Amino acid sequence: MAGNSKRKGAVRKDGSKKGQTVGSGGQRRRGLEGRGATPKAVDRPYHPAHKRAKAAAKTTAGRPRSRKDDGPEYVLGRNPVVECLRADVPATALYVVTGSDPDDRVAEAVKLAADRAISILEVGKGELDRLSANGMHQGIALQVPEYSYVHPDDLMRDALDSGTPPLLVALDNITDPRNLGAVIRSVAAFGGHGVLIPQRRSASVTAVAWRTSAGAAARLPVAQAPNLTRTLKDWAETGAQLVGLDAEGDVTLDAYDGTGPTVIVVGSEGKGLS
């Protein structure tokens, strides 16, 4: 029965009753104050992770930094440099490594640069390695300035004021700069007024696009749109007709009446129109 002190196991031994215990008086709690969070492994001087990070920092300290996208571009290699100079790609300087093995391509590049009053600079191999981020320059590089894009509104306004029906081409996420250069060359050949590309996820007017355009990029304006869909809607409100190129379309180009303001939209290399 409950409370039966004679029941086996119910007898409390002397001295086993739990009484008051002496506390620390808060000393242990105060001793833990101010310690803060445990530092990360890489921040502990004697931790292996800290030693590995320190060794990695020493290894990469002398490596050249990669070139920023918004700075000048460098065309590397003897054939690409000569092709850019032949195509009248805008350039600010020609770099030639001192003591490099000359050939006909280097001689032609120097002559073309001199004829166009482009600065010719002799530099050491280490300096050109740094400028090109250790690219395969073959002892020669051409510095190309950043391309100057026009505003989409200005592109449409200039096309409307040209005296001829506006013909513009919008590229929906073309990613290969060679394709961009080919489109610029074709639009210029057909008497178009300009090309529109998205600001992101699209090829830009680099030296490769310049070279592929065969100099047309110097004559035909290219605009960048922060939002391609919104820009096309704004252009449609000006009276321009948007025409999307699709292999499964119902209307062929020879049957299309393009006498009015026209914007031809070309899809990407893979999925086409988005």
Side-chain angles (χ1 to χ4, degrees):
M1 295 179 61
N4 188 355
S5 60
K6 294 182 179 181
R7 182 169 56 87
K8 186 177 180 180
V11 179
R12 186 185 300 276
K13 296 181 180 180
D14 295 339
S16 63
K17 184 177 180 180
K18 185 177 180 180
Q20 294 181 348
T21 58
V22 179
S24 63
Q27 294 179 3
R28 296 176 184 173
R29 184 176 65 252
R30 288 195 299 267
L32 295 175
E33 292 178 355
R35 299 292 180 89
T38 302
K40 296 180 180 180
V42 293
D43 296 331
R44 303 178 211 168
Y46 301 102
H47 197 281
H50 176 81
K51 297 179 181 179
R52 289 194 297 267
K54 189 175 181 180
K58 290 182 179 179
T59 303
T60 59
R63 295 180 183 175
R65 296 182 179 180
S66 59
R67 177 177 46 83
K68 295 182 179 180
D69 293 338
D70 57 353
E73 182 182 358
Y74 294 92
V75 181
L76 309 178
R78 301 186 178 188
N79 285 333
V81 167
V82 171
E83 291 176 5
C84 284
L85 290 171
R86 288 174 180 172
D88 291 332
V89 173
T92 54
L94 176 67
Y95 292 85
V96 181
V97 171
T98 304
S100 60
D101 185 20
D103 61 7
D104 294 340
R105 294 168 297 177
V106 175
E108 183 179 359
V110 172
K111 182 180 183 303
L112 291 173
D115 292 342
R116 293 175 50 188
I118 298 174
S119 300
I120 302 174
L121 306 175
E122 287 191 81
V123 296
K125 182 178 181 300
E127 176 65 12
L128 193 54
D129 288 341
R130 184 187 65 81
L131 291 174
S132 63
N134 289 325
M136 298 296 293
H137 51 70
Q138 297 179 311
I140 191 170
L142 186 67
Q143 186 183 60
V144 180
E146 181 185 5
Y147 182 79
S148 180
Y149 296 93
V150 300
H151 194 277
D153 294 343
D154 296 335
L155 181 60
M156 175 56 76
R157 184 182 63 251
D158 293 342
L160 292 172
D161 295 340
S162 64
T164 58
L167 175 60
L168 299 169
V169 174
L171 303 182
D172 186 8
N173 294 331
I174 292 289
T175 57
D176 192 333
R178 292 170 296 184
N179 291 337
L180 173 59
V183 170
I184 294 174
R185 183 179 68 243
S186 299
V187 174
F190 280 95
H193 296 88
V195 174
L196 175 69
I197 61 175
Q199 194 170 4
R200 294 180 296 176
R201 295 187 296 274
S202 173
S204 55
V205 184
T206 62
V208 176
W210 267 102
R211 186 172 70 248
T212 310
S213 73
R219 306 185 304 272
L220 192 76
V222 179
Q224 275 188 330
N227 188 305
L228 183 63
T229 302
R230 184 179 299 117
T231 299
L232 291 177
K233 289 181 179 179
D234 293 341
W235 282 6
E237 293 178 357
T238 65
Q241 185 174 12
L242 306 182
V243 180
L245 296 186
D246 192 338
E248 300 179 357
D250 298 331
V251 180
T252 59
L253 285 177
D254 56 353
Y256 171 70
D257 181 14
T259 56
T262 304
V263 179
I264 300 177
V265 184
V266 182
S268 63
E269 296 91 344
K271 63 180 181 180
L273 295 174
S274 60

